[in-house]
Structure formats: structure tokens, C-alpha cells
Amino acid sequence: MIILMLPSLIFVVLGFWIAFLAPELNLELVNGQIIKMVIGLLSITFFGFGVILILKKFLDNKYGIKISQEGIYENSSAQNIGLIKWENIERIEAQKVMNRKYIRVIVDNPEEFIKKQNNSLVRKILESNFKRFDSPIQIYTNTLEITFKELFDLINNELTKRK
């Protein structure tokens, strides 16, 4: 998680520098000071939000993934899906996006997982996942204390037992 947070912190600091400390840009068509401020504040806002989410997860002492008789409790990401019941899981698939491995959980009721999210930003992320990957649920294992292969095999074995 620290490795994920470092680039975000760097961009927050850069955004602050651009917005408040960098020399003024001499651009003929637009005011360089306004462009600097907009770029800096966007960087601070976007990457600052990332830092907050990562810190929140880092300080959270709850489980990341919990596998039980009922299903999979997913608490490893900002989406915090909660319980994914075995009976709702059709299959799981390995997925690689920009050199990051994810476990895609294909469920029979994706709209229900999207609708039950109270946070509108999280709901938008789940909707985007559903449109791009045919599932709102993507489990990223780099923040967990288990390898991708171990978790994939564990979930797959448990799913096979219950089907």
C-alpha cells in the first residue's frame, strides 16, 4: 500500500508546487497563472483523494478478503463490496489490466451490487467496471497478504465445492 501511496503523495506535492510556488508561465493565449492554479488544484484534489483512500485502507484493521461458508467478504478495495454469496457467483476469471492482476467475480445479479452502494462515486466505479469487464467486482490482490495465484486457487476451489 505504501508503494501505491508514494506516487500519489508526490503528485500532491507537485500539485501544491505548481499551484502556489512555480514561476508564472508566459503564454500568449491564456493567463499562465490560472492554468497553473487549475492544474495544481486538480492534481491536489485527485491524488489527495487517492492518498486519503489508501490511508483509510492502510489504517483499517479489518480483513481484506474473508472466505466463509456464506461466500466471499470483499473489503480489500475502496469499493468495499461486502458479502458476495456463493450462490450469486457464476465464475471467477483472471484478468490483467495495465500489468495489474485482478480476480474478476462474475455474478448473476451485478445490478444489485451496484445499487446497494450508498456512495455515488463507488457506484460509478462499479458501473464502469461492469461496462468494461462484464462484472462490477474486481479483486486486486497486491494490497493483500496473499499472492494472486493463491487467492485465485482458493476462491476457485471453494466455488467448485459449492456448485
Side-chain angles (χ1 to χ4, degrees):
M1 292 198 127
I2 291 171
I3 292 171
L4 291 174
M5 192 168 62
L6 282 175
S8 292
L9 279 173
I10 290 169
F11 278 105
V12 168
V13 171
L14 280 173
F16 182 81
W17 180 79
I18 290 170
F20 303 108
L21 303 173
E24 188 170 334
L25 300 171
N26 291 323
L27 301 173
E28 292 179 20
L29 297 175
V30 291
N31 184 333
Q33 190 62 30
I34 292 173
I35 289 178
K36 276 182 22 179
M37 189 64 70
V38 168
I39 290 171
L41 292 177
L42 283 174
S43 179
I44 292 168
T45 304
F46 180 77
F47 291 104
F49 184 68
V51 168
I52 290 168
L53 288 178
I54 293 168
L55 270 176
K56 184 179 171 187
K57 278 295 172 193
F58 187 71
L59 298 173
D60 184 4
N61 60 1
K62 290 183 186 175
Y63 57 85
I65 294 285
K66 180 179 170 185
I67 297 176
S68 74
Q69 297 293 330
E70 296 176 85
I72 303 167
Y73 289 89
E74 194 283 330
N75 186 36
S76 65
S77 65
Q79 289 91 1
N80 189 11
I81 299 294
L83 176 63
I84 309 164
K85 293 183 179 180
W86 292 118
E87 64 251 22
N88 296 124
I89 301 174
E90 293 179 354
R91 68 186 182 283
I92 63 168
E93 298 174 349
Q95 173 181 336
K96 193 173 188 180
V97 178
M98 295 174 51
N99 292 328
R100 290 186 176 176
K101 291 182 180 179
Y102 293 85
I103 297 173
R104 180 178 0 179
V105 182
I106 309 296
V107 292
D108 61 358
N109 57 346
E111 291 85 7
E112 304 248 343
F113 285 95
I114 295 169
K115 274 194 251 176
K116 78 176 186 178
Q117 289 300 319
N118 296 327
N119 184 315
S120 61
L121 179 61
V122 171
R123 200 174 319 111
K124 292 278 185 212
I125 291 169
L126 295 181
E127 287 170 354
S128 174
N129 283 346
F130 184 46
K131 286 176 186 170
R132 285 183 66 196
F133 308 116
D134 295 326
S135 175
I137 306 166
Q138 317 294 320
I139 301 172
Y140 180 58
T141 59
N142 279 13
T143 58
L144 301 173
E145 294 178 6
I146 188 170
T147 68
F148 173 86
K149 182 173 177 8
E150 289 170 333
L151 184 59
F152 185 86
D153 291 344
L154 182 62
I155 294 173
N156 211 22
N157 291 339
E158 288 295 319
L159 185 59
T160 302
K161 281 186 211 175
R162 290 160 184 9
K163 290 286 177 173

